[in-house]
Amino acid sequence: VVRGLGSGMIVSATGEILTNEHVIASATRVDVELSTRERIPARVKVREPLLDLALLQLERDIDGLQPVSFAAEAPRPGAWVMAVGQPFGLGDTVTVGVIGGLGRDHDDLGQPAGLAPGGYWNFIQTDASINIGNSGGPLVDPSGRVLGITTAVRSDGQGLAFAIPAAMATRFLDEARTFGRVRKTRLGMSANNVPNPGPGPGTVVQVTKVEAGGPADRAEITKGDVILQIGKTPVSRVSDVAYLPQLEGVGRRISFTLRHDDDAARKVNLVPDERAEK
């Protein structure tokens, strides 16, 4: 019997547990050990590899479960955080660090094999110590509010650990509870990172293809447009263009700020379709 180990957090008084998808990806059975050391079988309700998130359900009722609370605001670099989990099976372990950066993507993590390259990635970076067994546990602020879900470390570095933002975790929970799955956004366009010809970030995102009749076409986005901003968030990489609409969700009206060649910036509204599952 091959056994795996990970961490998680209680997200409802009815026994829902949030963790990373890669923690339970190959599991034929899942047991959850509570802080009381009581071990309870659980089933997987919803799993989504492109977010690396999974929602479990305890198989029997437990009184007195205390759900975590998620921070409403985004974290800031330099803020103190704590990672809570089960590194190497050492229960109830807390490590301390700071937020080192935001908006890290698959390449920033060293392209780890356990995460899909085409996922919706926008990680929090921290130097709080994270090890095998921490995956799926909460990254919290000093008040105990969850800022992220600890997910990965960069094996070729030191003090480089990464967490999925709480905002995407709450979007995942909304989708899982409402639809029993995660609806993925389809924008109907392709884009590439290109060198920024002017001041600002080193790269910008340029539209390379627009599907006829798709969401981008309906929003009058054209090939060659440079995406400057989605909502109020500046865009510098293709990973931003994937992540931010997914964070909003299918059918939501999203503002895109664009520039074409030397023309003045313009704003359009794009409404993502649901991406067909393969």
Side-chain angles (χ1 to χ4, degrees):
V1 176
V2 177
R3 300 182 186 276
L5 177 70
S7 301
M9 64 199 80
I10 298 168
V11 292
S12 76
T14 58
E16 290 179 319
I17 309 293
L18 179 67
T19 187
N20 283 136
E21 195 275 342
H22 77 259
V23 168
I24 51 86
S26 58
T28 57
R29 171 178 170 172
V30 178
D31 290 332
V32 172
E33 184 178 285
L34 301 178
S35 59
T36 60
R37 296 290 186 264
E38 184 177 10
R39 186 168 293 184
I40 301 162
R43 61 182 174 87
V44 180
K45 290 180 68 174
V46 179
R47 61 201 303 168
E48 182 46 67
L50 296 184
L51 298 179
D52 196 23
L53 293 171
L55 184 63
L56 314 180
Q57 176 65 55
L58 298 181
E59 293 281 33
R60 60 184 175 88
D61 294 337
I62 302 294
D63 292 332
L65 294 177
Q66 297 286 332
V68 298
S69 60
F70 292 92
E73 65 277 4
R76 294 184 178 183
W80 287 99
V81 290
M82 294 172 285
V84 184
Q86 305 272 331
F88 300 104
L90 300 173
D92 303 328
T93 295
V94 179
T95 56
V96 178
V98 299
I99 299 293
L102 303 172
R104 307 311 192 200
D105 65 9
H106 192 260
D107 289 341
D108 295 329
L109 271 65
Q111 302 179 354
L115 296 177
Y120 301 96
W121 308 130
N122 192 283
F123 292 96
I124 300 167
Q125 178 186 325
T126 179
D127 63 353
S129 180
I130 293 174
N131 292 280
I132 294 171
N134 271 111
S135 290
L139 185 72
V140 303
D141 65 15
S143 298
R145 299 177 305 164
V146 177
L147 298 172
I149 293 81
T150 56
T151 300
V153 296
R154 181 147 182 166
S155 58
D156 59 348
Q158 292 182 343
L160 292 173
F162 302 91
I164 296 168
M168 184 56 84
T170 55
R171 166 57 62 188
F172 167 80
L173 291 173
D174 287 343
E175 292 279 311
R177 289 164 176 166
T178 304
F179 301 101
R181 58 188 173 88
V182 175
R183 301 172 303 157
K184 300 176 199 61
T185 52
R186 171 180 169 267
L187 305 181
M189 65 180 177
S190 301
N192 282 333
N193 297 331
V194 298
N196 186 355
T203 60
V204 294
V205 178
Q206 187 170 50
V207 178
T208 57
K209 180 181 178 181
V210 176
E211 299 174 13
D217 189 27
R218 296 195 299 267
E220 300 184 344
I221 295 175
T222 61
K223 181 180 177 180
D225 280 344
V226 172
I227 303 171
L228 304 176
Q229 196 167 294
I230 297 177
K232 296 181 179 180
T233 304
V235 166
S236 62
R237 296 189 289 187
V238 170
S239 56
D240 299 328
V241 180
Y243 179 83
L244 293 168
Q246 182 64 33
L247 189 61
E248 292 295 323
V250 172
R252 298 287 297 272
R253 187 180 300 273
I254 304 170
S255 171
F256 276 62
T257 303
L258 309 162
R259 186 184 67 237
H260 195 97
D261 295 331
D262 293 328
D263 296 342
R266 72 185 195 279
K267 287 190 177 183
V268 302
N269 290 318
L270 184 150
V271 180
D273 290 342
E274 181 176 359
R275 193 171 95 185
E277 297 289 348
K278 295 182 181 180

